[in-house]
Every structure is written in structure tokens, then in C-alpha cells.
Amino acid sequence: MSFTTKDVVLKEDRPKTLLLQKHSDYLASYGLNKDDYEYCMTEYLRMSGIYWSLTAMELMGQSSRMPKEDIIEFITQCQDSESGGISASIGHDPHILYTLSAVQVLAMYDRLDAVDIEGIVRYIVSLQQEDGSFYGDKWGEIDTRFSFCAVMCLSLLQRLDAIDINKTVEFVLSCMNFDGGFGSKPGSESHAGLIYCCVGTLSICKRMDALHADELAWWLCERQLPSGGLNGRPEKLPDLCYSWWVMSSLSMLNRIHWVDKKSLEEFILACQDNETGGFSDRPGDITDPFHTLFGLAGLSLLGNTSIKPVNPTYCMPQETIDRLKLKPQILQI
């Protein structure tokens, strides 16, 4: 019996250099037409879209092209006065995912004073459960992504003391699998995006010692395909976003050198649109701000000096993390 690895083939006429100016132009113009179909259809994740776009612009040194005051005002209008949480858009229900995106944006702007910080802390504390897990919102879904959002958000606010850290860590470790990876909850399949969330949680909580580092790093390295791209789990196509989820995890594990950096860089560059700017999930697909951020962040982790250094735990410019005096743990070999 033979198996065929799912992969893509990089074309010879693919982009091979970084098109920074085109990416800056793409993000600066994204969402300007409020009547645009795509703009209307993405309202449910508007706050995350702002985070993806601003972080990408910050890494390119182009954040001055973003409407700072408009963004800050929008965030303040999305904070729910009763729960303290922040929503994806005005009039939507608050959720921990969008609360984190808003806090990240305000931290980059050094404007955390624009929101009710105690309200946010109160909201996050209300979502922690007896076993240490976190709901995403009032509807009660549990996922290790939400544990990471809670921990990162409170660390940016300098309020990690507000939750039970030991129970938070215990729940995350209960999601560890035999292969060293992590899923969304106990017993769930290992997935590179969720591994980033769990490793990131342990990095901020300074409990990286609890990981099975070599087994986990080996599983992550096996995500690289012949094209150079990375997938999120076995037998899946490569997707540019895993250039972040996998490589950031390997960076926190201090084993980023276990991946073929040159072929990964070629894959990332091939995912650019040389006409409109922006990155897509795979070469030739439609671009979006999500993949544009993770393409740039992936290149930063690979050492591209035309992009600012990115912090592998927070997915924010390292200069912002330094200004906040945050020191997430990186595993020592």
C-alpha cells in the first residue's frame, strides 16, 4: 500500500522576494469601502481583523497608515458596560477572543487607558471554571484557545494574579496527548494551532518544564511538507498560517532550527499576491489580513531583517513586549 502526501507544487513564476510596499498598500486600503460585500460579511470578526492588520503594519513599520483614533474609539464602543467584555463589533455579544484582540491593539498603541481595565479583568475571571478551564463567553464553550486568551490578556494588563494560575495550568496539561501535542480539550486530537495556544499559556505562566519538549518538537517538525509549507495535522494540505502556529511553538521550545527554514521561506513568499499585495493560505488563493499577518510574522521568526522582530508567545512586536516589561518563558536546551 502506498500513501500520497497531500501538498502543493510551487510554480516557477511564483513571487520570490518580499513585496513589503504592496502589503502595506493592501492593508491600508482594506475595509475602506463599508458597502463592500467582504466588509459586511466579516463584521462578526471585525476586532480580530483590526488586530491582524495593525500587527502586520507594526511589523512593517507602517502603522501610521492605520486610523489610530478611529480604531481606539471603535474599541471603546465595543466594550460591554455590564460584563466588561469586548465584542467583535458594535452591538455584538462580548467574547474572550475579541477581548484579547482589543487589548493587544490598545497595548501596541499604549492606550490601555481607553477602556475599563477592571471591567475586562472581572469579565475574564467570571469565565474561569472550577477545573481551571475558561468559557469563551456566556454560552459556555470550553477550549484551550480561551485559556490562552485569558492568560495573555491578563498578562498584558499586568493582572495575572486575578485568576487561579495553578488550575489554569492543570487544565492545559490535562489536554496533553501521547505525542506531546495538545488539543482543544482533554482527549482531543493534537493540532498545531492549539499547541501554540497551550505552549503559549505555559510560556506566560512559566511552566514550560511540564512539556515533553522533544516529542512535541518532533511532531511539529513533521508538519513540514516537500513544498516547504507546514500543515496543522497529518494528511492535511499546507497552509501559510501554520508558518506562525508551528514556528512560534518551536521558537518557544528553542528548537526552531529543526525545520528547513529555506524551503519554508520559499513557500511563504510564494503565497504573496504580486498584483494586489497580501498573503493567502496557499499560492494562488485569495489574500486576507489573517494570512498576511502570519506570513509576515513567520518571516520575522525566520530572521528576515526587513520585518521587525515578533515575539513568539504574544504575536506582537518584540518592542511592545519589551516596553510592557513582559518576560514569557522560553525553554532552555
Side-chain angles (χ1 to χ4, degrees):
M1 182 183 294
S2 62
F3 294 91
T4 302
T5 301
K6 294 181 180 179
D7 201 2
V8 298
V9 176
L10 303 187
K11 296 180 179 179
E12 185 55 39
D13 63 350
R14 66 185 185 273
K16 298 176 183 177
T17 58
L18 182 57
L19 310 172
L20 274 182
Q21 189 58 49
K22 283 186 178 290
H23 302 321
S24 176
D25 292 344
Y26 166 74
L27 291 172
S29 63
Y30 191 87
L32 289 182
N33 182 7
K34 302 298 189 290
D35 295 323
D36 183 76
Y37 174 80
E38 187 174 8
Y39 182 87
C40 297
M41 292 303 292
T42 56
E43 183 181 19
Y44 70 97
L45 46 71
R46 181 80 19 87
M47 192 66 71
S48 291
I50 292 172
Y51 157 71
W52 299 327
S53 298
L54 177 63
T55 308
M57 287 294 223
E58 286 274 2
L59 292 176
M60 292 187 288
Q62 295 285 323
S63 61
S64 61
R65 300 187 68 181
M66 299 288 285
K68 178 178 178 179
E69 295 307 320
D70 290 346
I71 288 173
I72 294 171
E73 181 182 1
F74 174 76
I75 292 174
T76 62
Q77 292 177 319
C78 289
Q79 184 168 26
D80 179 55
S81 58
E82 184 176 341
S83 69
I86 298 175
S87 60
S89 193
I90 299 168
H92 289 227
D93 288 341
H95 194 287
I96 200 166
L97 289 172
Y98 308 118
T99 301
L100 173 60
S101 291
V103 168
Q104 288 176 291
V105 169
L106 294 175
M108 284 185 278
Y109 277 145
D110 198 15
R111 283 298 314 277
L112 287 168
D113 62 301
V115 289
D116 176 8
I117 291 176
E118 289 306 315
I120 293 174
V121 174
R122 184 177 70 251
Y123 177 67
I124 294 174
V125 169
S126 74
L127 296 173
Q128 187 166 32
Q129 304 306 299
E130 185 61 33
D131 64 355
S133 64
F134 284 84
Y135 287 166
D137 60 11
K138 65 182 181 181
W139 301 111
E141 180 186 5
I142 289 175
D143 191 306
T144 46
R145 290 178 302 157
F146 308 149
S147 298
F148 185 44
C149 289
V151 165
M152 189 197 295
C153 197
L154 290 175
S155 70
L156 290 169
L157 297 174
Q158 311 288 345
R159 289 300 308 277
L160 266 176
D161 60 301
I163 56 171
D164 189 325
I165 289 294
N166 289 331
K167 283 192 172 182
T168 300
V169 170
E170 286 175 13
F171 174 74
V172 167
L173 292 178
S174 74
C175 300
M176 186 189 294
N177 293 318
F178 71 93
D179 52 20
F182 295 84
S184 61
K185 52 181 66 71
S188 294
E189 177 186 10
S190 294
H191 185 283
L194 296 163
I195 287 171
Y196 163 71
C197 292
C198 293
V199 174
T201 299
L202 298 174
S203 171
I204 294 171
C205 295
K206 296 180 169 46
R207 283 299 313 279
M208 297 285 281
D209 60 285
L211 291 166
H212 297 161
D214 284 343
E215 291 94 329
L216 175 54
W218 183 250
W219 189 93
L220 289 166
C221 290
E222 287 191 318
R223 305 282 59 76
Q224 190 163 35
L225 299 169
S227 65
L230 300 160
N231 63 17
R233 50 201 167 105
E235 295 305 310
K236 295 294 183 180
L237 284 168
D239 186 320
L240 177 68
C241 67
Y242 294 109
S243 304
W244 174 256
W245 313 122
V246 171
M247 296 299 282
S248 59
S249 299
L250 286 171
S251 294
M252 289 184 274
L253 293 169
N254 210 354
R255 288 162 171 80
I256 197 170
H257 55 286
W258 286 17
V259 162
D260 184 338
K261 295 182 180 180
K262 185 175 184 296
S263 63
L264 175 57
E265 181 178 24
E266 290 176 357
F267 177 84
I268 294 174
L269 293 174
C271 292
Q272 300 175 105
D273 189 311
N274 56 16
E275 294 182 7
T276 66
F279 290 79
S280 57
D281 58 348
R282 285 177 281 277
D285 287 354
I286 300 296
T287 61
D288 59 70
F290 174 85
H291 288 94
T292 299
L293 166 59
F294 294 126
L296 292 167
L299 289 172
S300 177
L301 289 177
L302 290 171
N304 190 306
T305 56
S306 60
I307 306 167
K308 291 182 182 179
V310 65
N311 183 275
T313 302
Y314 289 85
C315 196
M316 295 166 65
Q318 184 61 47
E319 61 189 18
T320 300
I321 303 307
D322 291 341
R323 173 168 51 78
L324 294 171
K325 296 182 170 57
L326 299 174
K327 296 187 181 300
Q329 184 181 23
I330 302 295
L331 200 63
Q332 299 303 310
I333 296 180

